Amino acid sequence: MAAKTHRTAAHPTVLSTRALNRATLDRQLLLRRSAMSAKDAVAHLLGLQAQNTKPPYFQLYARLTDFDPGELSGLMESREVVRIVTLRSTLHTHTADDALTLRPLVQAARERELKNFRRGLEGVDLDRLAAVAEELVVERPRPVKELREELLAHWPDADPLALTVAARCLLPLVQVTPRGMWGRSGQVALTTVEHWLGRPAEPVPAPDATVLRYLGAFGPASVMDFQAWAGLTRTKEVFERLRPRLLTFRDERGVELFDLPDAPRPDPGTPAPPRFLPEFDNLLLGHADRTRVIPAVNKGRNGVGNQAYGSVLIDGFFDAVWRVERQGGTAILTVQPLRNLVRDERAEITEEAARMLAAMTDATDHDVRFGTFLDYGD
């Protein structure tokens, strides 16, 4: 049963945290697994967070029925999806079409990053740097170390890290295969997205279509939610332009939320099965106010320092962390709950973990445990 959305202009419907949770999980394909293809899922989700190589595969496993990692790996090999820095200046796996449109949309934000490295770039002509770097990576994909050394030959007094960051910010660089492919390894080697795909990037698009797609995958959401997800600012006027086409709600704090009229908003009591999300899953990073998925008491508890771990959704909310270790031919998955679990919850989590180990590891034996491996220093 869909949640009621009756409202007046003066008094928009208030959506509870649980209502927002179920709506977002449904659009993220986490209430029930979807039969859509891996490519369609990557497009629907507007990309997969890909700071590390394995998380995109686990993101799709959590969302798709009968997901085969080889499907996404094949899309990478055929250049139908690519790894490129886009949203929030982090590496994402995008469809080729999205890589050619989303990167221009956030390009100005990427260039603003260079202000943080201006001391290391004193005396560097950024236009010339972009031209030199592009010539190098189009000639052939360059490992990061090699690109840095080539740039240092032109600007020996510059900071080496600043030079490579500048190249990444100024140019839409993709990590070429076999980097990121399932079951294979390879160092990071870079070329431009246009060269890799054999077609030019799109002109800088208006953000309207991206806002609508964002709401379809992450909504209902506020202006600040969208800005946090995209790493953009000053988008309120976009929402105002789209307002006649959208519904508006309020959250329990009174923040205005926008949504597509025909988007699913399930009953808050809809069951949510346990799901194992990898580190940095976009569900956990897609809003300024993340309490729809992360209880306030668990904020910042899916890692310590620079070490992040996977997150377990229990009844739709982040309430446990997980990790996998190998001991010989056995894959050991340890779940560390962040609250007391009842027997049925433990049983459901164990079943889901066992299925994931069978599908996503080549281990001959699997062991699911509940224990403590992360010390929060409380």
Side-chain angles (χ1 to χ4, degrees):
M1 179 186 299
K4 294 182 179 179
T5 57
H6 298 301
R7 61 185 176 87
T8 67
H11 300 286
T13 296
V14 174
L15 296 178
S16 68
T17 298
R18 253 189 113 73
L20 290 174
N21 174 271
R22 293 315 194 246
T24 305
L25 291 183
D26 198 348
R27 299 173 207 195
Q28 285 283 306
L29 316 179
L30 289 166
L31 271 188
R32 61 195 66 80
R33 285 184 165 92
S34 170
M36 70 173 58
S37 69
K39 183 177 179 180
D40 287 345
V42 174
H44 169 73
L45 298 166
L46 287 95
L48 307 172
Q49 226 278 0
Q51 279 178 254
N52 297 325
T53 57
K54 289 186 178 179
Y57 295 91
F58 283 88
Q59 289 173 64
L60 291 183
Y61 173 79
R63 292 165 165 87
L64 302 182
T65 56
D66 302 319
F67 172 66
D68 179 356
E71 184 181 1
L72 179 60
S73 195
L75 292 170
M76 296 187 64
E77 190 167 31
S78 64
R79 308 188 189 188
E80 294 176 76
V81 303
V82 298
R83 292 165 58 83
I84 184 172
V85 172
T86 53
L87 311 168
R88 305 181 302 278
S89 193
T90 53
L91 195 65
H92 281 72
T93 296
H94 287 295
T95 64
D97 288 343
D98 278 349
L100 293 169
T101 55
L102 285 176
R103 176 57 191 244
L105 179 64
V106 301
Q107 180 58 37
R110 299 292 68 78
E111 292 174 7
R112 284 196 294 272
E113 289 180 57
L114 294 180
K115 293 180 181 178
N116 299 324
F117 296 87
R118 58 183 178 273
R119 293 184 64 180
L121 294 169
E122 289 182 5
V124 176
D125 182 324
L126 294 180
D127 289 337
R128 180 165 173 256
L129 185 150
V132 169
E134 182 172 14
E135 182 178 353
L136 288 167
V137 299
V138 166
E139 180 183 32
R140 59 180 169 81
R142 302 276 180 161
V144 175
K145 182 176 183 293
E146 182 179 328
L147 177 60
R148 180 185 302 123
E149 290 172 349
E150 292 282 359
L151 294 175
L152 272 172
H154 289 269
W155 293 279
D157 296 328
D159 176 68
L161 174 62
L163 287 174
T164 52
V165 169
R168 186 200 69 178
C169 289
L170 295 169
L171 298 174
L173 299 178
V174 296
Q175 294 187 0
V176 305
T177 53
R179 180 70 176 179
M181 295 181 65
W182 186 255
R184 297 176 62 181
S185 62
Q187 65 179 331
V188 174
L190 304 170
T191 190
T192 66
V193 67
E194 297 98 330
H195 183 70
W196 187 243
L197 298 178
R199 53 191 169 115
E202 299 293 325
V204 179
D208 301 45
T210 302
V211 167
L212 295 175
R213 290 180 63 195
Y214 168 78
L215 293 176
F218 292 88
S222 69
V223 175
M224 294 301 294
D225 287 330
F226 173 78
Q227 293 184 168
W229 168 80
L232 297 175
T233 59
R234 302 178 181 178
T235 63
K236 184 177 180 180
E237 64 180 29
V238 182
F239 282 81
E240 292 302 324
R241 186 162 61 240
L242 293 171
R243 184 181 290 274
R245 301 169 55 182
L246 302 174
L247 295 180
T248 57
F249 302 93
R250 297 279 176 181
D251 67 14
E252 292 175 325
R253 297 173 176 80
V255 175
E256 185 176 41
L257 306 173
F258 295 83
D259 204 8
L260 306 176
D262 58 351
R265 287 175 289 277
D267 187 287
T270 303
R275 291 288 186 260
F276 284 79
L277 304 182
E279 63 270 27
F280 309 120
D281 190 291
N282 268 351
L283 172 71
L284 307 174
L285 303 171
H287 303 87
D289 180 358
R290 300 170 182 174
T291 55
R292 70 178 66 197
V293 178
I294 304 175
V297 69
N298 290 338
K299 180 180 178 181
R301 295 178 72 86
N302 44 7
V304 172
N306 294 325
Q307 179 64 58
Y309 292 92
S311 301
V312 186
L313 300 183
I314 307 172
D315 189 28
F317 293 89
F318 164 54
D319 268 323
V321 291
W322 67 276
R323 72 174 183 183
V324 174
E325 297 176 298
R326 290 292 292 264
Q327 290 185 4
T330 301
I332 301 171
L333 190 154
T334 304
V335 176
Q336 180 174 330
L338 302 180
R339 64 169 173 81
N340 292 327
L341 303 180
V342 300
R343 180 181 300 176
D344 286 349
E345 289 175 327
R346 284 179 173 258
E348 291 177 353
I349 290 168
T350 300
E351 291 174 3
E352 177 67 15
R355 287 192 293 266
M356 183 177 69
L357 289 175
M360 299 296 287
T361 73
D362 59 1
T364 55
D365 295 302
H366 311 129
D367 185 6
V368 179
R369 305 174 179 177
F370 291 83
T372 300
F373 59 85
L374 191 52
D375 182 5
Y376 295 103
D378 294 341

